[in-house]
Amino acid sequence: MPNFGNYEQIIKDFSWSISEQELDYKPGQVINIGWYCSDRICQQGKADKTALIWEGFSGAKKIYTYNDVRLCSNTIARFITGLGINAGERVCLFLDRIPELYLGFLGILKTGAIVQPLFSAFGEESLFVRLENARTSAIFTQKKHLSKVRKIRDKLPDLKHIIIVDYDGKSPLQEREVPFSMENTEKIENYEVYPTYAETPSVLHYTSGTTGQPKGVQHVHYSLISQYITAKWVLDLRDDDLYWCTADPGWVTGTSYGIIGPFSLGVTQFVLDSGFSAEAWYRFIERNRITVWYSAPTAIRSLMKAGDEIIKKFDLSSLRHLASVGEPLNPEAVNWSIRVFGKPFHDTYWQTETGCIVITNFPGMSVKPGSMGRPFPGITATVLNHSNHEPYPEPGRIGLIGLKPGWPSMMRTYWNNEEAYKNKFRNGWYLTGDRARIDKDGYFWFVGRDDDVINTGGHLVSPFEVESALLEHQAVAESAVVSKPDPINMEVVKAYVTLKPGFTASKDLELDIMNFIRKKLSPLAMPQEIEFVDSLPKTRSGKIMRRILHAKEWGEEIGDTSTLENE
Ligand code: WTA
């Protein structure tokens, strides 16, 4: 029997206090995610239970019990308080998926500081704008990423500590750099966890918008209430599960459901820190007897592409529940998974801003392939009319997904950008920026984004950020970045560029521009193609109309062009 029972009944009776009670939390009390995910689990008698099994790309393996997680996070917490970092300061984790990332996340939260996880493949420019915006005090990183930090640190006066977790003593440390070795530091048995409360800021995740620099989505410790119960009911995590979330904690899936959800439930989870290969993934599932697997459509499409034959080589019978997030999950992928694994991938819809799954196919509920499912209890979700932001009274209409604010893990603001935050609300609804329709059974069907943000393989890319990077190249006069279709990633980034006088379009120039921006952005945000054009379509007021270029890539009707300047 799944953890989640009858949908209609639960919706009727639900209150977030169910989760509060299960976590022994009473409103007004101290609540600290770091403590809940380690100390509390030990207090429940699971100190010796395996919490984390980590595998590196070379086959290295490390195992941590819940007591180890408690001690290691205490040790990291003591280390950063020792550096003089205070509650409320931002501490960045700029690490591959190594154990220090997971343990550091909880350790930072124990100190009352705000944890800012950033994807380790970010180039220096992507890293810089996020550290500058958050006025980050300290960054955890590895030798291999240090050169990126060194290049930008002089422009970051607030960044007082650069903590290197694998310093080998070979080359001298530079200013502000300090080594920290998890293995060689004496473990701290007792750490006095900082008394954070429900509304104390916890995690700062950066997400991409259409205009302006990335925005810091600010969460609070109370988010645990949502993350715990959604992990339990949607991912169906149980005490004996062996859970694998494939997401990197640089993104919200990797923290809400790759750290907080499973650890707050005292579940054993796995991390595989290596690139994608169908064979390696199946072998990982087989060897570790994975029972619950949370992944993403792009990965699923890549597995489909690898073919069904290869699956027969592995025993994947341990898999009990499968879920997916990040992009539309096509019906073909669901049907394929039923065929090859004997069970469907359950789609889950949510965002960095929502902090937890808000619309989903619950275990035990009949899955309609292609649909995102139904709202989580306690979440009021609807589809709003574009023009007046009123919910459509009848099913079947395409509109904007609107959520009634107020669930525990809803973002509290965009860091230092209250205006952008306020702009997300209309008529009392939080707008996710996505379009959908609801069918007569109350199932949501994703239609598309309502802005120019590109979702490539589950990663949101801001066209603005890529355009800004392009404009720094000496040959580029103007640029417009849109998506183009792709069979695996659904969409990839494409750049249109006009050149400054004296430059001529050529393959070499394209390569030169690509190399130039590669250092600045993340590989995921890199354009797959640059097309040189003589001019870009613009409105009369001079705004570049990405919409026209987008329509061209997707073979769609261009629509109203009456405001176009150069028709
Ligand atoms: C998209 C990731 C279709 C959507 C947790 C959303 C989805 C954005 C789905 C958030 C889904 C996420 N079906 N689209 N099941 N899940 N999205 O902030 O556009 O990185 O607004 O959070 O991804 O991406 P984010």
Side-chain angles (χ1 to χ4, degrees):
M1 275 292 284
N3 288 336
F4 188 78
N6 178 284
Y7 186 80
E8 309 300 339
Q9 190 61 41
I10 292 181
I11 285 280
K12 219 157 59 40
D13 301 339
F14 184 80
S15 128
W16 293 107
S17 63
I18 295 177
S19 178
E20 293 181 351
Q21 279 159 22
E22 289 194 16
L23 288 164
D24 287 325
Y25 167 76
K26 290 195 190 58
Q29 278 181 352
V30 164
I31 176 170
N32 183 285
I33 291 175
W35 182 85
Y36 265 97
C37 291
S38 55
D39 299 60
R40 179 171 188 264
I41 305 299
C42 293
Q43 284 179 8
Q44 290 176 328
K46 294 196 208 166
D48 295 330
K49 179 173 175 176
T50 302
L52 176 68
I53 301 182
W54 171 88
E55 272 189 30
F57 61 92
S58 59
K61 192 169 173 169
K62 289 183 183 169
I63 300 176
Y64 298 82
T65 63
Y66 271 97
N67 195 45
D68 295 333
V69 172
R70 183 181 72 82
L71 294 176
C72 291
S73 56
N74 279 352
T75 308
I76 292 174
R78 172 67 61 81
F79 176 74
I80 58 177
T81 35
L83 291 177
I85 289 167
N86 294 312
E89 289 189 48
R90 277 72 57 210
V91 178
C92 173
L93 293 166
F94 189 56
L95 300 169
D96 293 350
R97 279 175 286 175
I98 55 174
E100 285 83 348
L101 174 56
Y102 300 81
L103 305 165
F105 184 89
L106 301 179
I108 294 165
L109 291 175
K110 283 184 171 181
T111 69
I114 301 172
V115 57
Q116 180 191 17
L118 291 177
F119 183 45
S120 62
F122 273 149
E124 67 215 37
E125 189 65 27
S126 299
L127 178 65
F128 171 71
V129 294
R130 289 159 177 83
L131 295 178
E132 186 193 41
N133 185 266
R135 299 189 58 186
T136 308
S137 303
I139 184 169
F140 279 86
T141 194
Q142 292 158 269
K143 275 185 314 215
K144 65 200 271 205
H145 304 304
L146 192 56
S147 66
K148 293 190 266 192
V149 182
R150 283 179 174 172
K151 274 195 203 122
I152 56 175
R153 70 170 166 215
D154 290 343
K155 296 189 286 176
L156 295 166
D158 295 301
L159 189 67
K160 294 190 284 287
H161 311 283
I162 299 165
I163 304 158
I164 307 160
V165 299
D166 56 354
Y167 181 62
D168 52 14
K170 286 202 184 120
S171 56
L173 292 169
Q174 299 188 4
E175 67 170 293
R176 301 188 233 171
E177 292 173 1
V178 37
F180 172 77
S181 160
M182 185 73 256
E183 253 123 65
N184 300 329
T185 306
E186 198 191 326
K187 301 293 171 292
I188 301 295
E189 180 64 40
N190 297 305
Y191 177 82
E192 200 174 321
V193 175
Y194 187 86
T196 49
Y197 289 87
E199 293 304 308
T200 309
S202 55
V203 185
L204 190 62
H205 265 300
Y206 275 77
T207 189
S208 301
T210 317
T211 52
Q213 295 296 354
K215 295 187 287 276
V217 175
Q218 192 194 302
H219 287 290
V220 293
H221 281 267
Y222 191 58
S223 72
L224 171 69
I225 302 299
S226 302
Q227 288 147 350
Y228 165 86
I229 196 79
T230 47
K232 181 171 174 183
W233 285 358
V234 180
L235 301 178
D236 202 33
L237 293 177
R238 307 177 197 172
D239 204 33
D240 56 353
D241 271 320
L242 300 169
Y243 169 64
W244 183 31
C245 168
T246 61
D248 187 301
W251 282 278
V252 73
T253 307
T255 58
S256 288
Y257 298 107
I259 302 179
I260 306 173
F263 284 161
S264 66
L265 281 154
V267 163
T268 300
Q269 74 155 326
F270 290 76
V271 169
L272 176 60
D273 183 24
S274 76
F276 176 83
S277 118
E279 188 123 10
W281 276 32
Y282 292 138
R283 195 174 309 115
F284 189 74
I285 293 171
E286 177 183 65
R287 190 173 55 241
N288 296 307
R289 307 296 298 150
I290 300 294
T291 57
V292 179
W293 181 22
Y294 195 22
S295 198
T298 293
I300 299 166
R301 284 190 292 270
S302 303
L303 293 173
M304 288 168 76
K305 195 168 155 223
D308 295 4
E309 275 312 299
I310 166 174
I311 301 177
K312 296 189 186 130
K313 292 202 274 173
F314 299 92
D315 174 7
L316 306 177
S317 59
S318 57
L319 290 172
R320 178 175 71 72
H321 184 60
L322 319 177
S324 158
V325 62
E327 313 152 70
L329 180 66
N330 347 39
E332 298 77 39
V334 178
N335 292 327
W336 171 80
S337 115
I338 295 174
R339 195 175 75 241
V340 298
F341 303 125
K343 45 191 66 75
F345 268 96
H346 291 71
D347 197 8
T348 68
Y349 166 85
W350 57 294
Q351 310 181 293
T352 309
E353 287 88 341
T354 69
C356 74
I357 294 164
V358 290
I359 297 174
T360 189
N361 288 282
F362 292 87
M365 173 170 128
S366 66
V367 171
K368 294 191 188 188
S371 160
M372 306 195 289
R374 301 181 68 181
F376 191 83
I379 303 281
T380 309
T382 192
V383 161
L384 303 166
N385 183 327
H386 261 273
S387 42
N388 60 8
H389 298 102
E390 291 287 343
Y392 279 116
E394 70 279 23
R397 301 290 296 265
I398 293 174
L400 304 171
I401 301 181
L403 307 172
K404 264 270 166 294
W407 67 96
S409 66
M410 159 112 199
M411 70 163 160
R412 294 306 194 260
T413 188
Y414 287 120
W415 186 258
N416 235 339
N417 198 347
E418 187 69 11
E419 195 187 325
Y421 174 72
K422 289 207 178 108
N423 201 24
K424 291 290 247 177
F425 296 86
R426 294 284 185 288
N427 203 14
W429 294 94
Y430 163 71
L431 302 185
T432 66
D434 292 311
R435 288 175 296 131
R437 66 183 169 80
I438 309 175
D439 71 15
K440 60 178 183 3
D441 300 322
Y443 283 65
F444 283 64
W445 297 75
F446 187 83
V447 173
R449 285 197 60 101
D450 192 49
D451 56 21
D452 292 335
V453 170
I454 300 165
N455 186 341
T456 177
H459 299 295
L460 304 188
V461 174
S462 154
F464 177 85
E465 226 183 331
V466 183
E467 287 162 8
S468 304
L470 285 164
L471 286 180
E472 284 180 44
H473 188 276
Q474 53 168 356
V476 176
E478 290 177 309
S479 70
V481 166
V482 294
S483 65
K484 68 170 200 176
D486 180 82
I488 295 290
N489 290 298
M490 284 297 269
E491 49 188 39
V492 288
V493 179
K494 168 161 182 183
Y496 283 87
V497 161
T498 66
L499 294 174
K500 285 186 185 153
F503 291 94
T504 336
S506 70
K507 205 70 210 156
D508 281 351
L509 182 59
E510 181 180 345
L511 263 178
D512 190 64
I513 297 175
M514 290 278 201
N515 282 333
F516 177 78
I517 59 173
R518 180 164 293 128
K519 295 197 204 93
K520 297 177 176 290
L521 302 167
S522 108
L524 302 164
M526 282 295 291
Q528 299 294 303
E529 184 191 344
I530 295 179
E531 184 172 333
F532 297 107
V533 287
D534 293 334
S535 68
L536 295 171
K538 293 200 194 110
T539 61
R540 285 182 211 286
S541 59
K543 225 173 137 214
I544 293 170
M545 289 185 88
R546 296 193 192 104
R547 177 164 68 84
I548 307 268
L549 300 167
H550 180 273
K552 190 174 146 211
E553 293 302 328
W554 291 80
E556 289 164 358
E557 290 281 316
I558 288 176
D560 179 19
T561 55
S562 54
T563 52
L564 208 59
E565 170 201 83
N566 46 356
E567 296 167 280

